[in-house]
Amino acid sequence: QQPVQSPQAVILREGEDAVINCSSSKALYSVHWYRQKHGEAPVFLMILLKGGEQKGHDKISASFNEKKQQSSLYLTASQLSYSGTYFCGTEIQGAQKLVFGQGTRLTINP
Amino acid sequence: EPEVTQTPSHQVTQMGQEVILRCVPISNHLYFYWYRQILGQKVEFLVSFYNNEISEKSEIFDDQFSVERPDGSNFTLKIRSTKLEDSAMYFCASSGDRGPLYEQYFGPGTRLTVT
């Protein structure tokens, strides 16, 4: 039931792009993306509802492919502040909870 | 900007003792959650709460755990008899009146250490 994230870790230089994927074996109602910095609480990034929409703000965007039950998070022209662990949280319709993936650790080097 | 607050930030307790973790959700939010995160691992759902009752709970949330909204502002998680494996960061979250699971806002967490 836990979504699977890939890759587990990414190391980039500032300005490079990254894609983080989140796949589920179950039919999803929504996918939530969070970023967590070391020792801090997860911070909400965006939510995507079923319907295959794409969202974004600044240089971070995401898509949700309902047919594949997969969401992807795109970080373009990465900044040092993007470093952290990214979690996808998935919601199955009718279930009042988010199930999180294992996280993707993103390191941005100058 | 409104935020979720949690107290204490760190709690050390002995195995077998009861602990109560406190949270003050964002004031106009209606949906409340507890999650835990064992060091270096993923965030795990414990329980969701709406309209003064539990909406959903995970397998982790056994009879040792209980939640309460005692006064309309606080939201508490009680662990009756702590075990070593309860050591983790506990996050409270709340979401607003647009419906369940919209933009869950997380508090800063309470680090629970069971010795």
Side-chain angles (χ1 to χ4, degrees), chain A residues 14-79:
Chain A
E14 201 173 2
E16 291 181 336
D17 302 340
V19 180
I20 300 171
N21 297 306
C22 173
S23 298
S24 174
S25 58
K26 297 217 176 242
L28 300 176
Y29 183 61
S30 67
V31 178
H32 302 227
W33 286 98
Y34 286 81
R35 175 171 61 214
Q36 185 180 32
K37 292 189 181 281
H38 183 70
E40 299 181 10
V43 173
F44 174 81
L45 294 175
M46 64 188 78
I47 174 174
L48 299 104
L49 302 180
K50 69 175 182 178
E53 64 173 1
Q54 184 152 354
K55 276 193 175 182
H57 54 83
D58 290 335
K59 297 187 174 91
I60 300 176
S61 62
S63 64
F64 180 16
N65 186 320
E66 194 178 344
K67 284 185 182 175
K68 292 185 179 179
Q69 299 305 321
Q70 177 176 303
S71 178
S72 297
L73 185 72
Y74 308 94
L75 301 103
T76 57
S78 56
Q79 305 166 17

Side-chain angles (χ1 to χ4, degrees), chain B residues 87-114:
Chain B
S87 294
M89 183 74 91
Y90 288 80
F91 292 106
C92 171
S94 68
S95 62
D97 60 2
R98 288 195 286 160
L101 301 186
Y102 275 77
E103 300 185 31
Q104 291 190 29
Y105 292 87
F106 280 69
T110 292
R111 180 172 298 285
L112 177 65
T113 302
V114 182

